[in-house]
């Protein structure tokens, strides 16, 4: 069955404050969707709520992959159901090497008794690291510890490649990347495009979308998707900012914190 990801009326709050005010989004296998929006509108909150971060309380709505309700699942079950999130700020895990982390992440998605062999894992990891032009020594470093911003982002893409998820959510994967790293990361994403996989790319810069062509672009403001279109929408936001969207839709600025 082709991948089908549906978010329906999703509302979420942080410490009692409603941030997501009813998000609707549908992503089919083969599609790339981009969400753009000003700082503090809830883009990362959407990513975290989908992944099951304990700080974000979902108060209404649903999210499912191929009809399987994600919101009822524990974080690891969501990953097993095929959801992958590259975080805006990846965590450092001192004491756990990158390769140990990757191998156990792969194995946690497999049945007991059918774990990936060490040799096969190393071959796959080394191949993907080469594609991402990563120094082989990163396999043995502690996860994200002392990695630069760009190295962390590349490492998130490495995880994505090895985990082979159905739905990929990339939160500001382009932030902190120089132009070469941006190209490498984008190539990694493009190489993973397939009919079985859908992407949700969260970004507030259009430049990533010069390298990864989205099928749909959505504008998020104040916790809602307020406008959807094609790649030309991203270009217009880049050229003109967000004010015209607000004017068009009669959105009055709330004083929200910067995120
Ligand atoms: N852990 C948190 N605790 C309190 N407030 C938060 C937390 N995370 C996000 N927020 C608030 O939620 C709003 C949306 O943040 P976020 O989803 O990070 O926005 P974006 O990713 O669109 O820039 C902001 O007002 C931010 O300050
Ligand atoms: Mg964010």
């Amino acid at each position: 069955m082709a991948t089908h990801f549906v978010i329906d009326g999703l509302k979420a709050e942080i410490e009692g404050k409603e941030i997501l005010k009813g998000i609707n989004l549908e992503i089919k296998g083969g599609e790339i969707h981009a969400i753009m929006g000003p700082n503090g509108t809830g883009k990362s909150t959407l990513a975290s709520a989908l992944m099951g971060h304990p700080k974000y309380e979902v108060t209404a709505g649903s999210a499912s992959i191929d009809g399987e309700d994600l919101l009822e699942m524990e974080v690891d079950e969501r990953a097993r159901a095929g959801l992958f999130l590259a975080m805006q700020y990846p965590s450092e895990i001192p004491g756990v090497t990158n390769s140990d982390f990757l191998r156990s992440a792969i194995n946690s998605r497999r049945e007991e008794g059918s774990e990936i062999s060490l040799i096969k894992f190393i071959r796959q990891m080394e191949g993907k690291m080469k594609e991402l032009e990563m120094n082989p020594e990163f396999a043995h470093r502690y996860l994200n510890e002392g990695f630069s911003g760009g190295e962390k982002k590349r490492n998130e893409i490495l995880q994505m490649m090895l985990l082979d998820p159905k739905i990929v959510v990339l939160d500001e994967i382009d932030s902190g990347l120089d132009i070469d790293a941006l190209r490498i990361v984008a190539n990694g994403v493009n190489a993973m495009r397939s009919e079985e996989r859908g992407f949700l790319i969260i970004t507030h810069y259009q430049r990533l979308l010069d390298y990864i062509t989205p099928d749909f672009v959505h504008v998020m403001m104040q916790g809602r998707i307020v406008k959807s279109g094609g790649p030309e929408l991203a270009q217009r936001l880049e050229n003109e900012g967000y004010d015209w969207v607000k004017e068009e839709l009669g959105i009055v600025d709330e004083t929200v914190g910067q995120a």
Side-chain angles (χ1 to χ4, degrees), residues 158-194:
L158 176 65
Q159 287 172 29
M160 186 235 339
M161 289 178 133
L162 289 170
L163 288 173
D164 196 23
K166 287 187 200 170
I167 293 294
V168 176
V169 181
L170 303 175
D171 191 5
E172 308 274 353
I173 196 72
D174 49 337
S175 68
L177 295 185
D178 61 35
I179 205 76
D180 288 328
L182 184 69
R183 181 182 45 78
I184 291 163
V185 160
N187 286 345
V189 170
N190 287 327
M192 295 294 284
R193 275 190 103 145
S194 91

Side-chain angles (χ1 to χ4, degrees), residues 43-58:
K43 303 185 299 300
S44 294
T45 301
L46 173 62
S48 298
L50 289 174
M51 209 61 226
H53 191 296
K55 225 175 155 141
Y56 303 82
E57 197 199 335
V58 172

Side-chain angles (χ1 to χ4, degrees), residues 5 24 26 34 43 51 57 74 80 93 96 102 106 115 135 139 176 180-181 183 185 196 232 258:
F5 178 51
N24 300 304
E26 191 179 344
K43 303 185 299 300
M51 209 61 226
E57 197 199 335
E74 300 296 324
R80 247 174 277 140
I93 310 186
V96 177
L102 288 166
I106 291 173
E115 287 88 354
N135 184 324
D180 288 328
R183 181 182 45 78
V185 160
E196 282 77 52
E232 75 290 343
Q258 298 285 298

